[in-house]
């Protein structure tokens, strides 16, 4: 009859918890980081949204009960030249010593993230509780009153782009009454960019979309203006309208090396053929069926450039 391994596992865990001392690995005037929490006074600002901003977490617990990896590390002695000590340190987890500078950096990033959500007066405080050589840390979020968008205005002189955006207005992420959330504003910039890249604007990027936000005195409201900046190839160039692009010639180049120049005359190719009007360049032997290439082409000469199809 097989015996259960559970009693042996429990005995091992108890032995770890009772036979090692964490204190010998905690420097004088320092603390073991025992617990980290995020607490929010505002229901809409959920603590779980900010876990990724925590730069220093305590040692992991097994089954949310005991820090077995840390306890395993602490079984080792202070003499790191002995192989048995090196073994326990290798399979274990060194005690996490609280670092005030790291906590302050996390505090700053959480505060910035909350403000970006529309709570522009938000603050985050560090709440520290110590007992012997252990420290429990809480990031307490005081979100305050949220700022909301009162009006949305579009400053777009380009009539073609303005028309595209009007056709797509139902998909806009901006609307009166919304939280003044920087993340949503940035997502709208990217949405507009993706729309234009699917409609011929080959050289467009989201830096051409910007905002002006004016707070209304004495209220928690913001008047928002979305700007479309004119195209400028280089900093010192004059501005001009954004240009749409159509597909001209299409070439297939096999054995392509991305580290080489894109110019055909600089590539290591020595033969070519034409199939259904498409030139196919290759080296030595064409290992792909031309029909497979052309059948999977999602655009043709004369089509408006569409980044998604490319």
């Amino acid at each position: 009859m097989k015996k259960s391994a559970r009693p042996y596992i429990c005995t091992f865990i108890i032995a770890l918890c009772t036979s090692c001392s964490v204190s010998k690995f905690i420097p004088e005037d320092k603390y073991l980081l025992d617990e980290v929490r995020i607490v929010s006074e505002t229901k809409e600002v959920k603590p779980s949204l900010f876990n990724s901003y925590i730069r220093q977490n305590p040692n992991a617990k097994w089954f949310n009960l005991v820090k077995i990896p840390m306890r395993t590390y602490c079984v080792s002695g202070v003499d790191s030249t002995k192989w048995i000590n090196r073994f326990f340190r290798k399979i274990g987890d060194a005690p996490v010593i609280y670092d005030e500078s790291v906590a302050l950096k996390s505090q700053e990033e959480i505060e910035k993230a909350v403000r970006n959500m529309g709570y522009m007066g938000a603050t985050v405080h560090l709440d520290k509780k110590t007992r012997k050589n252990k420290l429990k840390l809480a990031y307490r979020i005081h979100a305050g009153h949220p700022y909301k968008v009162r009006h949305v205005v579009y400053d777009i002189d380009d009539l073609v782009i303005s028309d595209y955006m009007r056709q797509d207005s139902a998909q806009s992420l901006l609307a009166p009454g919304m939280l003044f959330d920087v993340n949503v504003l940035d997502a709208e910039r990217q949405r507009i960019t993706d729309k234009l890249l699917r409609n011929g604007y080959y050289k467009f990027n989201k830096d051409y979309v910007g905002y002006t936000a004016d707070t209304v005195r004495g209220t928690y409201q913001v008047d928002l203006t979305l700007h479309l900046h004119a195209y400028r190839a280089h900093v010192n160039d004059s501005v001009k309208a954004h240009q749409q692009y159509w597909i001209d010639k299409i070439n297939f180049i096999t054995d392509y090396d991305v580290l080489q120049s894109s110019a055909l005359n600089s590539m290591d190719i020595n033969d070519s053929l034409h199939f259904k009007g498409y030139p196919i360049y290759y080296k030595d032997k064409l290992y792909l069926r031309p029909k497979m290439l052309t059948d999977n082409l999602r655009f043709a000469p004369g089509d408006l450039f569409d980044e998604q199809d490319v």
Side-chain angles (χ1 to χ4, degrees):
M1 180 177 176
K2 283 189 176 181
K3 292 184 178 180
S4 171
R6 187 176 298 172
Y8 298 102
I9 294 172
C10 292
T11 302
F12 174 69
I13 291 174
I14 292 168
L16 278 178
C17 294
T18 57
S19 64
C20 64
S21 172
V22 182
S23 300
K24 62 187 175 185
F25 294 101
I26 303 175
E28 192 175 352
D29 298 326
K30 297 289 184 179
Y31 294 95
L32 174 73
L33 184 59
D34 191 45
E35 180 183 280
V36 174
R37 294 185 302 141
I38 302 175
V39 181
S40 174
E41 297 176 344
T42 306
K43 185 173 65 175
E44 290 75 18
V45 180
K46 301 184 184 303
S48 59
L49 296 173
F50 310 100
N51 287 335
S52 61
Y53 297 102
I54 302 297
R55 290 170 169 252
Q56 189 180 43
N57 284 292
N59 295 94
K61 289 182 179 180
W62 281 13
F63 313 112
N64 288 323
L65 293 173
V66 184
K67 298 177 180 178
I68 296 299
M70 184 192 73
R71 293 287 178 179
T72 302
Y73 183 98
C74 294
V75 168
S76 69
V78 293
D79 186 356
S80 60
T81 62
K82 294 183 178 180
W83 74 267
I84 189 65
N85 291 337
R86 293 199 303 272
F87 170 74
F88 279 116
R89 292 187 185 192
K90 185 176 181 180
I91 66 172
D93 187 13
V96 177
I97 307 303
Y98 173 69
D99 188 325
E100 179 81 3
S101 64
V102 174
L104 290 172
K105 187 65 178 176
S106 297
Q107 174 193 26
E108 179 185 328
E109 292 183 355
I110 293 172
E111 192 170 88
K112 181 180 177 182
V114 179
R115 290 180 177 182
N116 284 345
M117 291 173 60
Y119 297 84
M120 293 194 286
T123 58
V124 176
H125 299 292
L126 295 183
D127 185 357
K128 294 174 284 187
K129 293 182 180 179
T130 59
R131 184 179 180 185
K132 295 183 179 180
N133 56 5
K134 294 181 180 180
L135 183 144
K136 295 182 185 293
L137 177 64
Y139 294 90
R140 296 196 175 274
I141 300 172
H142 306 276
H145 202 287
Y147 281 73
K148 295 188 177 182
V149 174
R150 184 176 70 164
H151 299 303
V152 180
V153 177
Y154 293 86
D155 173 26
I156 303 174
D157 292 332
D158 190 309
L159 297 179
V160 179
I161 292 180
S162 178
D163 190 50
Y164 274 120
M165 291 183 61
R166 189 162 39 249
Q167 295 170 20
D168 200 38
S169 60
Q171 303 302 317
S172 176
L173 303 177
L174 308 182
M178 63 173 279
L179 279 176
F180 182 61
D181 189 327
V182 171
N183 303 300
V184 175
L185 301 188
D186 192 57
E188 177 66 4
R189 293 171 67 213
Q190 189 60 57
R191 190 193 69 80
I192 292 170
T193 301
D194 293 341
K195 171 74 175 178
L196 296 179
L197 286 172
R198 291 195 299 269
N199 286 277
Y201 290 91
Y202 169 70
K203 294 185 177 181
F204 198 88
N205 65 70
K206 71 176 186 178
D207 290 337
Y208 288 115
V209 182
Y211 297 98
T212 299
D214 296 317
T215 54
V216 182
R217 179 177 290 184
T219 71
Y220 292 96
Q221 294 184 314
V222 177
D223 288 338
L224 186 66
T225 303
L226 183 147
H227 304 277
L228 177 74
H229 305 301
Y231 176 75
R232 192 196 300 264
H234 300 97
V235 175
N236 297 323
D237 290 355
S238 58
V239 297
K240 57 183 180 180
H242 291 278
Q243 183 178 344
Q244 283 181 292
Y245 288 80
W246 280 260
I247 302 294
D248 187 12
K249 294 168 67 177
I250 299 175
N251 300 313
F252 288 99
I253 305 169
T254 67
D255 308 295
Y256 179 69
D257 185 349
V258 296
L259 299 180
Q260 291 184 351
S261 168
S262 59
L264 281 176
N265 57 12
S266 68
M267 292 184 181
D268 190 12
I269 56 177
N270 55 28
D271 210 344
S272 66
L273 61 83
H274 280 70
F275 182 79
K276 293 185 177 180
Y278 295 106
I280 303 174
Y281 299 92
Y282 58 94
K283 177 186 176 184
D284 300 331
K285 182 179 180 181
L286 182 63
Y287 59 92
L288 297 165
R289 294 196 308 276
K291 187 175 185 301
M292 185 276 293
L293 294 175
T294 58
D295 283 356
N296 285 282
L297 194 61
R298 296 184 61 177
F299 48 88
D303 287 356
L304 195 61
F305 173 81
D306 183 333
E307 185 181 68
Q308 200 169 57
D309 284 345
V310 172

